[in-house]
Amino acid sequence: MSGFVEGAVVAGIDGSSSAVEAAVWAGGEAVRRGRPLRLVQVYTLPTVRAPAAFGTHEQVRAGLAERAEEWLTGAEAAVLEAYPAAEITTAAREWSPVTALVQESQHAELVVLGSRGLGGFTGLLVGSTAVSIVAHARCPIVVVRGRTPHDPPPVTGPVLVGADGSPDSEAALAFACEEARLRGTGLIALHTWSDVLADGMLRPHPLEEDPAAIQQAERDKLAQQVAGWQAKYPDVAIEFDVTRGRPVRALLERGEHAQLVVVGCRGRGGFTGMLLGSVSQALIAHAPCPVAVVRPQRTGR
């Protein structure tokens, strides 16, 4: 099937074990959300003339399409083994993987990617394809990771969300609350602060400020940001974690015990026009559990 499925959970398939794990994770997400699952494999014809031994241009295209269907069939079987009730459609598309999956994100509720793909160099933790899709997508993107490159994603623990008061973190909070509700688990709202910076700007007199007073003020700001979500999700236990330090380090440390980390695409201190913040880039490359990157909802497609 090649037509878009509105509101589906989309998983990118590339034949790697990482992509199959991502497909199974996406299957569980689709079942929890009551959404269909769409498995998409995108293949690209070589840009140079293939040697005659590989066949004609059309033979190469047919071979890639056949391989794509085999990968999709294998991923579909893995999802159905774990989630027999999943409603699954598949699509093999000839295009640029980044362009195709960004286009898919215009129709999807969520796009799910593996953390490692075929053709990556040893030690490469996340491919440039995933980074580009996260930077340009129109819906939340989840990069499925485990605690080591060969571990499956964790299925226990709270949902962890980074909150800094920015519009992106507000969108992340909305997504994280819903995820915690769907998973029947708690939510940890993490906020970090620095005695030198405040909201991405230098503090006027950093050496004269009391760290305890800063800590309390930052906790009050977090409580104010989360209050509306606590009222909307009364059954979700929300814990505050306000700590002095760098956001990436704190999220990576707390992520060791989480089943999902949720962050905004960019936070406070980001440059105007930056497509992907340094925190979200670091997490999709190094987090010990799946990472959801969320941007504020835009009107229109």
Side-chain angles (χ1 to χ4, degrees):
M1 179 178 178
S2 58
F4 297 111
V5 180
E6 295 295 331
V9 175
V10 173
I13 303 300
D14 65 4
S16 66
S17 59
S18 175
V20 174
E21 284 183 350
V24 173
W25 191 97
E29 189 71 11
V31 170
R32 280 189 291 271
R33 290 171 175 259
R35 296 290 187 176
L37 173 65
R38 175 172 162 89
L39 304 178
V40 179
Q41 208 287 312
V42 186
Y43 59 92
T44 305
L45 287 175
T47 56
V48 297
R49 184 179 298 275
F54 291 102
T56 66
H57 194 74
E58 289 307 316
Q59 287 173 326
V60 172
R61 171 181 278 117
L64 291 173
E66 182 180 359
R67 185 185 65 176
E69 294 295 345
E70 291 174 354
W71 286 347
L72 288 167
T73 299
E76 183 178 12
V79 174
L80 289 174
E81 182 178 357
Y83 301 100
E87 176 191 342
I88 305 176
T89 60
T90 64
R93 303 186 59 185
E94 180 189 333
W95 208 6
S96 156
V98 171
T99 306
L101 288 170
V102 169
Q103 186 187 56
E104 293 281 344
S105 76
Q106 297 176 14
H107 304 269
E109 181 162 312
L110 183 68
V111 172
V112 181
L113 306 170
S115 62
R116 307 179 313 282
L118 295 179
F121 296 100
T122 300
L124 184 64
L125 296 177
V126 64
S128 58
T129 297
V131 174
S132 298
I133 293 168
V134 170
H136 295 89
R138 299 296 182 181
C139 72
I141 304 292
V142 174
V143 177
V144 177
R145 304 184 52 82
R147 291 190 168 89
T148 73
H150 303 290
D151 283 346
V155 295
T156 61
V159 173
L160 173 67
V161 60
D164 65 4
S166 67
D168 284 67
S169 80
E170 192 71 15
L173 267 168
F175 184 90
C177 285
E178 182 64 10
E179 282 294 315
R181 184 190 71 81
L182 290 170
R183 294 165 183 271
T185 190
L187 174 67
I188 298 176
L190 173 67
H191 176 79
T192 63
W193 60 272
S194 165
D195 49 6
V196 176
L197 298 175
D199 296 333
M201 305 292 289
L202 287 172
R203 293 183 184 274
H205 305 288
L207 298 180
E208 298 176 10
E209 297 193 55
D210 179 11
I214 297 176
Q215 171 81 8
Q216 185 57 52
E218 297 296 328
R219 187 177 184 85
D220 292 343
K221 286 197 295 186
L222 177 61
Q224 183 177 5
Q225 183 182 6
V226 174
W229 298 110
Q230 284 181 310
K232 188 174 182 179
Y233 290 90
D235 295 333
V236 174
I238 303 179
E239 176 186 340
F240 294 174
D241 187 343
V242 180
T243 185
R244 179 182 185 178
R246 298 177 62 84
V248 170
R249 176 171 294 185
L251 286 163
L252 288 174
E253 289 176 353
R254 274 54 164 197
E256 290 286 347
H257 307 287
Q259 62 176 289
L260 178 67
V261 174
V262 183
V263 291
C265 191
R266 290 185 297 116
R268 293 200 180 278
F271 295 99
T272 300
M274 183 184 291
L275 292 175
L276 193 62
S278 58
V279 172
S280 49
Q281 285 197 61
L283 287 171
I284 63 177
H286 300 290
C289 65
V291 177
V293 183
V294 185
R295 65 180 71 244
Q297 183 67 40
R298 290 170 171 79
T299 58
R301 290 289 185 187

